[in-house]
Coordinates of all heavy atoms in Angstrom, one line a residue:
Chain B
A49 N -13.8 6.6 17.3 CA -14.9 7.4 17.9 C -15.7 6.5 18.9 O -16.0 6.9 20.0 CB -15.8 8.0 16.8
L50 N -16.0 5.3 18.4 CA -16.8 4.4 19.2 C -16.1 4.1 20.6 O -16.7 4.1 21.6 CB -16.9 3.1 18.4 CG -18.2 2.3 18.7 CD1 -19.4 3.1 18.4 CD2 -18.2 1.1 17.8
S51 N -14.8 3.8 20.5 CA -14.2 3.4 21.8 C -14.0 4.7 22.7 O -14.1 4.6 23.9 CB -12.8 2.7 21.5 OG -11.8 3.6 21.1
L52 N -13.8 5.8 22.1 CA -13.7 7.1 22.9 C -15.0 7.4 23.5 O -15.1 7.9 24.6 CB -13.2 8.2 22.0 CG -11.7 8.3 21.8 CD1 -11.3 9.4 20.8 CD2 -10.9 8.6 23.1
R53 N -16.1 7.2 22.8 CA -17.5 7.4 23.3 C -17.7 6.6 24.6 O -18.2 7.0 25.6 CB -18.5 7.1 22.3 CG -19.1 8.2 21.5 CD -20.3 8.9 22.1 NE -20.5 10.2 21.6 CZ -20.6 11.3 22.3 NH1 -20.8 11.2 23.6 NH2 -20.7 12.5 21.7
K54 N -17.3 5.3 24.4 CA -17.5 4.4 25.6 C -16.7 4.9 26.8 O -17.1 4.9 27.9 CB -17.1 3.0 25.2 CG -18.2 2.3 24.3 CD -17.7 0.9 23.9 CE -18.7 0.3 22.9 NZ -18.1 -0.6 22.0
E55 N -15.4 5.3 26.4 CA -14.5 5.7 27.5 C -15.1 7.0 28.2 O -15.0 7.1 29.4 CB -13.2 6.0 26.9 CG -12.1 6.1 27.9 CD -10.7 6.4 27.3 OE1 -10.5 6.1 26.1 OE2 -9.9 6.9 28.1
L56 N -15.6 7.9 27.4 CA -16.2 9.1 28.0 C -17.4 8.8 28.9 O -17.4 9.3 30.0 CB -16.7 10.0 26.8 CG -17.3 11.4 27.3 CD1 -16.2 12.3 27.9 CD2 -18.0 12.1 26.2
A57 N -18.2 7.9 28.5 CA -19.4 7.6 29.3 C -18.9 7.0 30.6 O -19.4 7.3 31.7 CB -20.3 6.6 28.6
Q58 N -17.9 6.1 30.6 CA -17.4 5.5 31.8 C -16.8 6.5 32.7 O -17.0 6.5 33.9 CB -16.5 4.4 31.4 CG -16.2 3.4 32.5 CD -14.9 2.8 32.3 OE1 -14.4 2.5 31.2 NE2 -14.2 2.4 33.4
K59 N -15.9 7.3 32.1 CA -15.2 8.3 32.9 C -16.2 9.3 33.6 O -15.9 9.8 34.7 CB -14.2 9.1 32.0 CG -13.1 8.3 31.5 CD -11.8 8.6 32.3 CE -10.7 7.7 31.8 NZ -9.8 7.3 32.9
M60 N -17.2 9.7 32.8 CA -18.2 10.6 33.4 C -18.9 10.0 34.6 O -19.2 10.6 35.6 CB -19.1 11.1 32.4 CG -18.5 12.2 31.5 SD -19.6 13.2 30.5 CE -20.2 14.4 31.8
E61 N -19.2 8.7 34.4 CA -19.9 8.0 35.5 C -19.0 8.0 36.8 O -19.5 8.4 37.9 CB -20.2 6.6 35.1 CG -21.4 6.0 35.7 CD -21.6 4.5 35.3 OE1 -21.6 4.3 34.1 OE2 -21.6 3.6 36.2
E62 N -17.8 7.7 36.6 CA -16.8 7.7 37.7 C -16.7 9.1 38.3 O -16.7 9.3 39.5 CB -15.4 7.3 37.2 CG -15.3 5.8 37.0 CD -13.9 5.6 36.3 OE1 -13.0 6.3 36.5 OE2 -13.9 4.6 35.5
A63 N -16.7 10.1 37.4 CA -16.5 11.5 37.9 C -17.7 12.0 38.7 O -17.5 12.6 39.8 CB -16.3 12.4 36.7
F64 N -18.9 11.6 38.3 CA -20.1 12.0 39.0 C -20.2 11.3 40.4 O -20.6 11.9 41.4 CB -21.4 11.8 38.2 CG -21.6 13.0 37.3 CD1 -21.6 12.8 35.9 CD2 -21.9 14.2 37.8 CE1 -21.8 13.9 35.0 CE2 -22.2 15.3 36.9 CZ -22.1 15.1 35.5
A65 N -19.7 10.1 40.4 CA -19.7 9.3 41.6 C -18.7 10.0 42.6 O -19.0 10.2 43.8 CB -19.3 7.9 41.4
A66 N -17.6 10.4 42.1 CA -16.6 11.1 42.9 C -17.1 12.5 43.4 O -16.9 12.9 44.5 CB -15.3 11.3 42.2
L67 N -17.9 13.1 42.5 CA -18.4 14.4 42.9 C -19.5 14.3 44.0 O -19.5 15.1 44.9 CB -19.1 15.0 41.6 CG -19.6 16.5 41.8 CD1 -18.4 17.4 41.8 CD2 -20.5 16.9 40.6
R68 N -20.2 13.2 44.0 CA -21.2 13.0 45.0 C -20.5 12.8 46.4 O -20.9 13.3 47.4 CB -22.1 11.8 44.7 CG -23.5 12.2 44.2 CD -24.4 11.0 44.1 NE -23.9 9.9 43.3 CZ -24.0 9.8 42.0 NH1 -24.6 10.8 41.3 NH2 -23.5 8.8 41.3
L69 N -19.5 12.0 46.3 CA -18.7 11.8 47.6 C -18.1 13.1 48.1 O -18.2 13.3 49.3 CB -17.6 10.7 47.3 CG -18.1 9.3 47.1 CD1 -16.9 8.4 46.8 CD2 -18.9 8.8 48.3
A70 N -17.6 13.9 47.2 CA -17.0 15.2 47.7 C -18.1 16.1 48.3 O -17.9 16.7 49.3 CB -16.4 15.9 46.5
E71 N -19.3 16.0 47.7 CA -20.4 16.8 48.2 C -20.8 16.4 49.6 O -21.1 17.2 50.4 CB -21.5 16.7 47.2 CG -22.6 17.8 47.3 CD -23.7 17.6 46.3 OE1 -23.5 17.3 45.2 OE2 -24.9 17.7 46.8
I72 N -20.9 15.1 49.8 CA -21.2 14.5 51.1 C -20.2 15.0 52.1 O -20.5 15.3 53.2 CB -21.3 13.0 51.0 CG1 -22.5 12.6 50.2 CG2 -21.4 12.4 52.4 CD1 -22.5 11.1 49.8
D73 N -19.0 15.0 51.7 CA -17.8 15.3 52.6 C -17.8 16.8 53.0 O -17.7 17.0 54.2 CB -16.5 15.0 51.8 CG -15.6 14.2 52.7 OD1 -16.0 13.7 53.8 OD2 -14.4 14.2 52.4
V74 N -17.9 17.7 52.1 CA -17.8 19.1 52.4 C -19.1 19.9 52.3 O -19.1 21.1 52.7 CB -16.7 19.8 51.6 CG1 -15.3 19.1 51.8 CG2 -17.0 19.8 50.1
G75 N -20.1 19.3 51.7 CA -21.3 20.1 51.5 C -21.3 20.8 50.2 O -20.3 21.2 49.7
L76 N -22.5 21.0 49.7 CA -22.7 21.6 48.3 C -22.2 23.0 48.3 O -21.5 23.4 47.3 CB -24.2 21.5 47.9 CG -24.4 22.0 46.4 CD1 -23.6 21.2 45.4 CD2 -25.9 22.0 46.1
L77 N -22.5 23.8 49.3 CA -22.2 25.2 49.3 C -20.7 25.4 49.2 O -20.1 26.1 48.4 CB -22.7 25.8 50.6 CG -23.4 27.2 50.4 CD1 -24.6 27.0 49.4 CD2 -23.9 27.8 51.7
K78 N -20.0 24.6 50.1 CA -18.6 24.7 50.2 C -17.9 24.2 48.9 O -17.0 24.8 48.4 CB -18.1 23.8 51.3 CG -16.6 23.6 51.4 CD -16.0 24.7 52.2 CE -14.5 24.5 52.3 NZ -13.7 25.6 52.7
L79 N -18.5 23.2 48.3 CA -18.0 22.6 47.0 C -18.1 23.7 45.9 O -17.1 23.9 45.1 CB -18.7 21.4 46.6 CG -18.1 20.5 45.6 CD1 -16.7 20.0 46.1 CD2 -19.0 19.3 45.3
K80 N -19.2 24.4 45.9 CA -19.4 25.4 44.9 C -18.3 26.5 45.1 O -17.8 27.1 44.1 CB -20.8 26.0 45.0 CG -21.8 25.1 44.3 CD -23.2 25.8 44.2 CE -24.1 25.1 43.4 NZ -25.5 25.6 43.5
E81 N -18.1 26.9 46.3 CA -17.1 27.9 46.6 C -15.7 27.5 46.1 O -15.0 28.3 45.5 CB -17.1 28.1 48.1 CG -16.6 29.4 48.6 CD -16.5 29.4 50.1 OE1 -17.5 29.1 50.8 OE2 -15.3 29.5 50.6
V82 N -15.4 26.2 46.4 CA -14.1 25.7 45.9 C -14.0 25.8 44.4 O -13.0 26.3 43.9 CB -13.9 24.2 46.4 CG1 -12.7 23.6 45.7 CG2 -13.8 24.1 47.9
A83 N -15.1 25.4 43.7 CA -15.1 25.4 42.3 C -14.9 26.8 41.7 O -14.2 27.0 40.7 CB -16.5 24.8 41.8
L84 N -15.4 27.8 42.4 CA -15.2 29.2 42.0 C -13.7 29.6 42.0 O -13.3 30.4 41.2 CB -16.0 30.1 42.8 CG -17.5 30.3 42.5 CD1 -18.2 31.2 43.5 CD2 -17.6 30.8 41.0
G85 N -13.0 29.0 42.9 CA -11.6 29.3 43.1 C -10.6 28.6 42.2 O -9.4 28.9 42.1
V86 N -11.2 27.6 41.4 CA -10.3 26.8 40.5 C -9.7 27.7 39.4 O -10.5 28.4 38.7 CB -11.0 25.6 40.0 CG1 -10.2 24.9 39.0 CG2 -11.4 24.7 41.1
K87 N -8.4 27.5 39.2 CA -7.8 28.3 38.0 C -8.2 27.6 36.7 O -8.3 26.4 36.6 CB -6.3 28.3 38.2 CG -5.8 29.4 39.0 CD -4.3 29.6 38.8 CE -3.5 28.6 39.6 NZ -2.1 28.7 39.7
P88 N -8.4 28.4 35.7 CA -8.7 27.8 34.4 C -7.5 26.9 33.9 O -6.4 27.2 34.1 CB -8.8 29.0 33.4 CG -8.6 30.3 34.2 CD -8.3 29.9 35.6
N89 N -7.9 25.8 33.3 CA -6.9 24.8 32.8 C -6.3 25.3 31.5 O -6.7 26.4 31.0 CB -7.6 23.5 32.6 CG -6.7 22.3 33.0 OD1 -5.5 22.4 32.6 ND2 -7.2 21.4 33.7
N90 N -5.4 24.5 30.9 CA -4.7 24.9 29.7 C -5.7 25.1 28.6 O -6.7 24.5 28.4 CB -3.9 23.7 29.1 CG -3.0 23.1 30.2 OD1 -2.4 23.9 31.0 ND2 -2.8 21.8 30.2
E91 N -5.4 26.1 27.7 CA -6.2 26.3 26.5 C -5.7 25.3 25.5 O -4.6 24.7 25.6 CB -6.1 27.7 26.0 CG -6.7 28.7 27.0 CD -7.3 29.9 26.3 OE1 -7.3 30.0 25.1 OE2 -7.9 30.8 27.1
I92 N -6.5 25.1 24.4 CA -6.1 24.2 23.4 C -5.8 24.9 22.1 O -6.2 26.0 21.9 CB -7.2 23.2 23.1 CG1 -8.6 23.9 22.9 CG2 -7.4 22.2 24.2 CD1 -9.7 23.1 22.3
T93 N -5.0 24.2 21.2 CA -4.8 24.8 19.9 C -5.4 23.9 18.9 O -5.2 22.6 18.9 CB -3.3 24.8 19.6 OG1 -2.6 25.4 20.7 CG2 -3.0 25.6 18.3
I94 N -6.3 24.5 18.0 CA -6.9 23.7 17.0 C -6.3 24.0 15.7 O -6.3 25.2 15.2 CB -8.4 23.9 17.0 CG1 -9.0 23.6 18.4 CG2 -9.1 23.0 15.9 CD1 -10.5 23.6 18.5
R95 N -5.7 23.0 15.0 CA -5.2 23.3 13.7 C -5.9 22.4 12.7 O -6.9 21.9 13.0 CB -3.7 22.9 13.7 CG -2.9 23.7 14.7 CD -1.4 23.7 14.3 NE -0.6 24.5 15.2 CZ -0.1 24.0 16.4 NH1 -0.2 22.7 16.7 NH2 0.6 24.8 17.1
K96 N -5.4 22.4 11.5 CA -6.1 21.7 10.4 C -5.2 20.6 9.8 O -4.0 20.8 9.7 CB -6.5 22.7 9.3 CG -7.8 23.2 9.4 CD -8.3 23.9 8.1 CE -7.3 24.8 7.4 NZ -7.9 25.6 6.3
R97 N -5.8 19.5 9.4 CA -5.1 18.6 8.5 C -6.1 18.3 7.4 O -7.3 18.7 7.5 CB -4.6 17.4 9.2 CG -5.8 16.4 9.7 CD -5.1 15.2 10.4 NE -6.1 14.4 10.9 CZ -6.3 13.1 10.5 NH1 -5.6 12.6 9.5 NH2 -7.3 12.3 11.1
N98 N -5.7 17.6 6.4 CA -6.5 17.4 5.3 C -6.6 15.9 4.9 O -5.5 15.2 4.8 CB -5.9 18.2 4.1 CG -6.9 18.3 3.0 OD1 -7.4 17.3 2.5 ND2 -7.2 19.6 2.6
I99 N -7.8 15.4 4.8 CA -7.9 14.0 4.3 C -8.6 14.0 3.0 O -9.8 14.3 2.9 CB -8.7 13.1 5.3 CG1 -8.2 13.2 6.7 CG2 -8.8 11.7 4.9 CD1 -9.0 12.5 7.8
M100 N -7.9 13.7 1.9 CA -8.5 13.7 0.6 C -9.4 14.9 0.3 O -10.5 14.8 -0.2 CB -9.4 12.4 0.4 CG -8.5 11.2 0.3 SD -9.5 9.7 0.3 CE -9.4 9.3 2.0
G101 N -8.9 16.1 0.6 CA -9.7 17.3 0.3 C -10.6 17.7 1.3 O -11.3 18.7 1.2
V102 N -10.8 16.9 2.4 CA -11.6 17.3 3.5 C -10.8 17.9 4.6 O -10.0 17.2 5.2 CB -12.4 16.1 4.0 CG1 -13.5 16.5 5.0 CG2 -13.0 15.3 2.9
P103 N -11.0 19.2 4.9 CA -10.3 19.7 6.0 C -10.9 19.3 7.4 O -12.1 19.4 7.6 CB -10.4 21.2 5.9 CG -11.6 21.4 4.9 CD -11.9 20.2 4.2
V104 N -10.0 18.7 8.2 CA -10.5 18.2 9.5 C -9.6 18.8 10.6 O -8.5 19.1 10.4 CB -10.6 16.7 9.6 CG1 -11.5 16.1 8.5 CG2 -9.1 16.1 9.4
P105 N -10.2 18.9 11.9 CA -9.4 19.5 12.9 C -8.3 18.6 13.5 O -8.4 17.4 13.4 CB -10.5 19.7 14.0 CG -11.6 18.7 13.8 CD -11.6 18.5 12.3
L106 N -7.3 19.2 13.9 CA -6.2 18.5 14.6 C -5.9 19.3 15.9 O -5.6 20.4 15.9 CB -4.9 18.6 13.7 CG -3.7 18.0 14.2 CD1 -3.8 16.4 14.2 CD2 -2.5 18.3 13.4
I107 N -6.3 18.6 17.0 CA -6.1 19.2 18.3 C -4.9 18.7 19.0 O -4.9 17.5 19.3 CB -7.4 19.0 19.2 CG1 -8.6 19.5 18.4 CG2 -7.3 19.8 20.5 CD1 -9.9 19.3 19.1
E108 N -4.0 19.5 19.4 CA -2.9 19.1 20.2 C -3.1 19.8 21.6 O -2.9 20.9 21.7 CB -1.6 19.3 19.6 CG -1.2 18.1 18.7 CD 0.2 18.3 18.1 OE1 0.4 19.1 17.2 OE2 1.1 17.5 18.6
A109 N -3.4 19.0 22.6 CA -3.6 19.5 23.9 C -2.8 18.7 24.9 O -2.7 17.5 24.8 CB -5.1 19.4 24.3
E110 N -2.2 19.4 25.8 CA -1.5 18.7 26.9 C -2.6 18.2 27.8 O -3.7 18.6 27.7 CB -0.7 19.7 27.7 CG 0.5 20.3 27.0 CD 1.0 21.5 27.7 OE1 1.3 21.5 28.9 OE2 1.1 22.6 27.0
S111 N -2.2 17.2 28.6 CA -3.2 16.6 29.5 C -3.7 17.7 30.5 O -3.0 18.6 30.8 CB -2.6 15.5 30.3 OG -3.5 15.0 31.2
F112 N -5.0 17.6 30.8 CA -5.6 18.6 31.7 C -5.4 18.2 33.2 O -5.7 18.9 34.0 CB -7.1 18.7 31.4 CG -7.4 19.3 30.1 CD1 -7.7 18.5 29.0 CD2 -7.2 20.7 29.8 CE1 -8.0 19.0 27.7 CE2 -7.5 21.2 28.6 CZ -7.8 20.4 27.5
K113 N -4.8 17.0 33.3 CA -4.6 16.5 34.7 C -3.6 17.4 35.4 O -2.5 17.7 34.9 CB -4.1 15.1 34.7 CG -5.2 14.1 34.8 CD -4.7 12.7 34.7 CE -5.2 12.0 33.4 NZ -4.4 10.9 33.0
R114 N -3.9 17.8 36.7 CA -3.0 18.7 37.4 C -2.8 18.2 38.8 O -3.6 17.3 39.3 CB -3.7 20.1 37.6 CG -4.0 20.7 36.2 CD -4.4 22.2 36.4 NE -5.7 22.4 36.8 CZ -6.4 23.6 36.7 NH1 -5.7 24.6 36.3 NH2 -7.6 23.7 37.0
K115 N -1.8 18.7 39.5 CA -1.6 18.3 40.9 C -2.6 19.2 41.7 O -2.9 20.3 41.3 CB -0.2 18.6 41.3 CG 0.8 17.7 40.6 CD 2.1 17.7 41.4 CE 3.2 17.0 40.6 NZ 3.7 17.7 39.4

Side-chain angles (χ1 to χ4, degrees):
Chain B
L50 209 56
S51 74
L52 281 170
R53 264 266 159 232
K54 283 178 189 152
E55 198 182 335
L56 180 70
Q58 195 207 329
K59 291 258 177 216
M60 282 197 79
E61 209 183 306
E62 286 170 28
F64 277 113
L67 188 69
R68 258 192 304 276
L69 290 177
E71 199 183 313
I72 292 165
D73 226 13
V74 300
L76 182 60
L77 226 60
K78 172 84 181 165
L79 197 58
K80 278 188 173 170
E81 203 188 301
V82 170
L84 278 177
V86 173
K87 270 196 282 189
N89 216 318
N90 310 320
E91 294 214 0
I92 50 166
T93 309
I94 304 185
R95 299 200 180 90
K96 263 196 316 193
R97 69 178 176 117
N98 195 303
I99 308 175
M100 287 174 265
V102 188
V104 300
L106 179 70
I107 307 179
E108 273 187 284
E110 292 163 54
S111 173
F112 295 100
K113 271 179 245 156
R114 304 190 277 194
K115 294 197 187 76

